[in-house]
Amino acid sequence: MNDSLSFEPPKAGSVVGQPVNRIDGLAKVTGQARYAAEYDLPGLTYAALKTSTIAKGRITRIDATAALREPGVLAVLTHENLPKMAQTPNTLAGKYAIYGMHMGYMPMTGDEIFYAAQPVAVVVADTFERATQAAALVQVTYEEARPVASYQSAQAEVFDPNGQGFVFDLKKVTRGNPQAALAASPVQVKATYVHAINHHNPMEPGATIAHWEGPDRVTVYDSTQAVAMSQQSLAVVLGLPQEQVRVITKFIGGGFGCKFNLWPHTVLATLAAKAVGRPVKLVLTRQLMFTSLGHREDQEQTITLGATQEGKLTTLIHEKTSTTSPWDIFAEPNAAILNWLYACPNYESSHRVARANVMTSTYMRAPGESPGSFAIECGLDELAAKLNLDPLEIRLRNYADLDSGTGQPWSSKGLKECYRRGAELFGWSKRSRQPGVTRDGQLLVGWGMATASYPVRPAQGRARVRLYADGHALVQTSATDLGTGTYTIITQVAADGLGLPMDRVRFELGDSTLPTAPASGSSVAAATVSSSVHLAIQDVWQRLAAMAVRDSQSPLFKAPLTDLTNEQDRLVLRKDPSKGESFAALLQRQGLTDIEGVGNSKSGEGFEADQLAFDNKPGTKQTKRSMYSFGVHFCEVKVDPDLGTVRVSRWVSVMDGGRILNPKTARSQIIGGAIMGIGSALMEATNRDEYFARYTNADLAGYHVPINADIPDMTVEFVDGHDPYVNAMGVKGIGEVAMVGSVAAVANAVYHATGKRVRSLPIIPSKVLGRDAV
Amino acid sequence: MNNFTYTPTNSAKEATRLRRETPAATYVAGATTLLDMMKVNLVEYPQLIDINELPLRGIEQTREGLRIGAMERMSDVGEHPVVVQQYPAVSESLLLAASAQLRNMASIGGNLLQRTRCGYFRDGAFPCNKRVPGSGCPAQQGDHHGLAILGTSTACLAQTYPGDLSVALAALDAVITLENAKGKQRRVPVTSFYLLPGQTPDRENILEPGELIVAVTIPAAPHAQRSTYLKVRERTSYAYALASAAVGLEVQGGTIRSARVALGGVGTIPWRSPEAEKILTGAPATDDTFRVAAAAALRGAQPREHNGYKVALAQNTLVRALQKVATP
Ligand SMILES: Cc1cc2nc3c(=O)[nH]c(=O)nc-3n(C[C@H](O)[C@H](O)[C@H](O)COP(=O)(O)OP(=O)(O)OC[C@H]3O[C@@H](n4cnc5c(N)ncnc54)[C@H](O)[C@@H]3O)c2cc1C
Ligand code: SF4
């Protein structure tokens, strides 16, 4: 890219930054938006999963006779007749080759049962009803063994993975001399926080339609956050060249991390389609959503804080113990956030895990940061209480002007402004220092707050922009829209960049044949996709500029390239914008119907050097910067001391997420994340029976998520600011930071209301009343 | 779900005849709970006899009290002005139940017959004495956080009826009218309709095979008019009660003339408490009286490891409900 010729990112007054309504809203509410399970292909057949009733043991016999006798049944696939896979994740080498399969075991590759509700058969029939009826008729006999349910079980063997973790290495990290610093600290807090098993439960279940268009060519409509990674992974599993696999995901009904990876049901649907020679649809039931796409693991964290009498942190020690699966060592890296969130010279983190008969847990909104913030933000609150300091004041006293973990400066940090504005909106200064004293009739009132932060994770992706001489544009990338507004914000960015109204821009996503974009996950989508589209548009303008200066009929003929810029849909002289012409005029004269540009954007730490002119001038030394979103949540709860019920009555979030492309969709992200935190704090828990290692509440009647009546009107504001270091658009991302800290804000408010610290989630009436473990 | 035949009918006679012909068949009303259980193969019926068009309708004042047809919908009954004014506990128990969508479909008859939410009962992979007699009761050692502390047995800890309406009906002396295949009707008080689990937790009520619930009748009384239903749960709506109380008081000059008390969420059946009523009747309507009554109501409680909180919770719920009706 030519650094000296750069076209302006959208300015104030443009559609970027405006609260534009979702462009796909009408399609969604009228049923026109097609989700993965809604492609009515000719000859479509239906699959139903039969899953294990035991959590550990072996299949001794599968009798499919009765099922196969049912009308319309096309196949009963088991580990004995499932089409062969070229690669499985069952070996470490296989797992690394497949890359996108999170779980190190592919069900139905053998007779062993490792976890409850593990798929043991796939039944395919010509109707959904026949498939489900036949699945019930498949007889499976097991040899049963006693499973391990969790790290808390008596038979569980807890061990230090010592750097062997998958995805997150779970190495012990030490900075400074934490133990010595602790011994020397006049004030200490040590507490253990327990986090229940949480399930993502997006509204749309996992769903796949697999269609083999030829013996070695397959199209998979799948509800996935990661089109390109799914394509790559499926190709390896199936032994096909990558381009022979096409993955399509036009709309997603939520994912929260559970649709980030390729899970076994998608592979099983694809193999079933191969076996029956017809397209197969497989939709997970709500019950199966609890055992098919991972979960947030059951875990406890002990944190030890050392501080001065003034409340300045001297040491932070974090120990986590959690449950992992028989094959993988996976745990959310909770301690990472402790290393950057506050200024503290000494730090240590360590992990311990125990294998149990459960599927591998996975990423769930802010994996690591969310539960980690629950521990540190409650711990800091306990420290503040001990020192009789205001919780906000103690955070200001430990404000990190540099990243303690790396010593690097921040790319941008609007946290102080978030604190100030949030406190003002909430009226925090009126908080009583003493807990348990504020009343509203029979109810106790409590105020809590917590800091939020989440990294701008490294990611890169491509986009293509085709600008037509008739004044329309087509923008394409393989990114996905989780339902969060990607369609809308990218259309805004493209419209501004091309100087077109939004309705002249058509944005296509969710198809692996389009330019490769990263998964919607780790809060990288808005940042990477908007930047790649912006860069592709720059590419278009540059090509137009190059054409114009060589075209003797153009008013810009022979103008130096560096003198040109764009204004709306015109290419003009920077110094005299009246001189120039519209792209349409230029293209028509050139005999072109359209022109195309591509952009490859890089976002996050380590990538800034590539695309930034100003900090990257020859001779300037590149400073490495730490890149994070920040924010704060303030929460008011009302607690009934006799009934133990907790209700959130007020909420304020103020966030610094870099440039906010659309405050309306951004607000939805923030309230969504905060509500997820309220759920995790007050009601969400999947109970795994200790003896059977099987969930006892695997449906939405038993697994409670907040309903409208639980949530007050929420106030959300942004400290808007273009971060010049993170990526071309200055977007830091908000999807996950929204949840970080929200659990602790609720827990701290409950403490302030009652004077009682509940350290085990969820904070349900039994714990508030004090007749249950807290 | 298994395959089944579906037979709509519009007469009670025809419905009961069909059941006599196919004893393994069942009735379906709003289907809000029956289909849920069929979808996960907890129950299997070869035939569903749709009773939605049966003339089991009407909310009318009779000599015995307010008669509510079994096919009336929860939402219609809960919002009916007579129910709201003269039986507030019944109205509240209905409107605090389930969700608006469910209440619009669900019938009164079906509501009375909903089955326990015990997680082991709801998943066929687990043993469960109620579902498969003799297979065991894993809730005893396992997850019983939400289960009963009153009326339990060594065979079963679960509520046979997890809902709300029957608790209010039990408190207010409601009577259920049943009709069998011969067209014969009988009347059973709600308090005798449900069976304690004992050693036969699979038998939940006294309904004979094929018998139809026709109507529910609630006698008019001053304590019914001054009644309330209080429900405690971890989220504000769309959840079953951890504990609930239906109470009605008639208070004259600060003295309680008559009292009705039933608890939900804590008993294996809707738990009418004559012990509490005895203490309340004739006593001054004060917090002290309420606390003594609440203690009496829970005296027989047998909490286990994870549901001990329910003793205090149920007591406090009851006190709170009594306070509410004591101060008009
Ligand atoms: C997610 C969820 C949450 C819920 N929360 C609550 C709650 O908080 N509180 C609460 O009280 N309830 C709650 N419910 C239960 C709900 O109230 C019941 O599902 C409903 O009342 C059942 O009525 P129905 O007409 O749909 O019954 P159906 O599902 O049609 O039938 C249920 C049973 O009753 C039988 N039956 C129905 N009518 C008759 C009759 N007239 N004579 C004889 N047999 C009959 C059927 O054969 C069947 O066995 C909840 C349900 C769900 C699914
Ligand atoms: S408590 Fe009752 S319903 Fe629950 S498992 Fe035991 S027997 Fe079954």
Side-chain angles (χ1 to χ4, degrees), chain A residues 640 689 694 696 705 710, chain B residues 3 120 123 143 235-236 320:
Chain A
D640 190 317
D689 180 80
R694 187 178 182 92
T696 58
V705 297
D710 291 315
Chain B
N3 286 334
Y120 302 96
D123 178 350
D143 175 11
R235 66 178 170 188
T236 311
R320 191 64 74 75

Side-chain angles (χ1 to χ4, degrees), chain A residues 502-534:
Chain A
M502 280 180 69
D503 61 9
R504 299 252 204 106
V505 177
R506 186 175 139 81
F507 176 42
E508 285 184 357
L509 53 60
D511 186 333
S512 60
T513 57
L514 303 179
T516 303
S520 290
S522 316
S523 298
V524 302
T528 324
V529 179
S530 69
S531 294
S532 62
V533 168
H534 171 69

